[in-house]
Amino acid sequence: QVRLVESGGGSVQTGDSLRLSCVASEQTFTKPTFTIYGMVWFRQAPGKEREFVAAIEWPGGDTHYSVPVQDRFTVSRDLFENTMYLQMHNLKPEDTAVYHCAARTFPGTYYYREEYSYGHWGQGIQVTVSS
């Protein structure tokens, strides 16, 4: 079973920065057997539906962003550590949400903005931005 753990959240003020991390791992007696083909960040604010934030394709590293964050957030990855990052700059109150990471572990063409493309999800981490 693939496990995803987010970290790096917290409470900040408008204009501050945060870096979220998402580490994928698998409990084995020898070595991990899964392969990551893509990872994504979604977020969900109170009373709102979960929305796409950013995605990164593992083999090629292509990135994709939602319009509200495309000029402020940067998603990246560490292939050797099975880790995805989300560097967030110029945070705004509207960025306040629980941020979830997810991973796709099967190959093939997929829609990176859709939840159903990913089979493994983290528990989420709170990001609060106050003015």
Side-chain angles (χ1 to χ4, degrees), residues 51-69:
E51 66 171 331
F52 168 82
V53 177
I56 185 165
E57 301 175 32
W58 229 247
D62 292 341
T63 58
H64 313 275
Y65 301 92
S66 66
V67 173
V69 310

Side-chain angles (χ1 to χ4, degrees), residues 2-113:
V2 177
R3 180 185 181 224
L4 302 179
V5 179
E6 302 98 338
S7 63
S11 298
V12 298
Q13 293 182 305
T14 298
D16 285 352
S17 299
L18 283 174
R19 190 181 76 161
L20 303 183
S21 299
C22 175
V23 181
S25 62
E26 183 181 33
Q27 182 67 51
T28 67
F29 288 104
T30 54
K31 62 182 66 176
T33 60
F34 70 95
T35 300
I36 297 176
Y37 292 92
M39 295 185 76
V40 67
W41 291 100
F42 281 82
R43 67 185 183 186
Q44 187 169 23
K48 298 182 179 179
E49 295 185 353
R50 186 178 297 177
E51 66 171 331
F52 168 82
V53 177
I56 185 165
E57 301 175 32
W58 229 247
D62 292 341
T63 58
H64 313 275
Y65 301 92
S66 66
V67 173
V69 310
Q70 60 185 1
D71 296 322
R72 300 181 294 118
F73 293 6
T74 301
V75 63
S76 60
R77 77 206 196 282
D78 187 327
L79 296 176
F80 297 100
E81 299 295 333
N82 289 326
T83 301
M84 174 180 64
Y85 303 97
L86 185 66
Q87 181 66 58
M88 304 182 292
H89 293 297
N90 192 25
L91 284 164
K92 304 176 180 180
E94 48 263 46
D95 296 317
T96 296
V98 175
Y99 284 70
H100 297 264
C101 69
R104 178 180 177 86
T105 57
F106 289 94
T109 302
Y110 66 100
Y111 296 100
Y112 54 82
R113 295 177 181 267

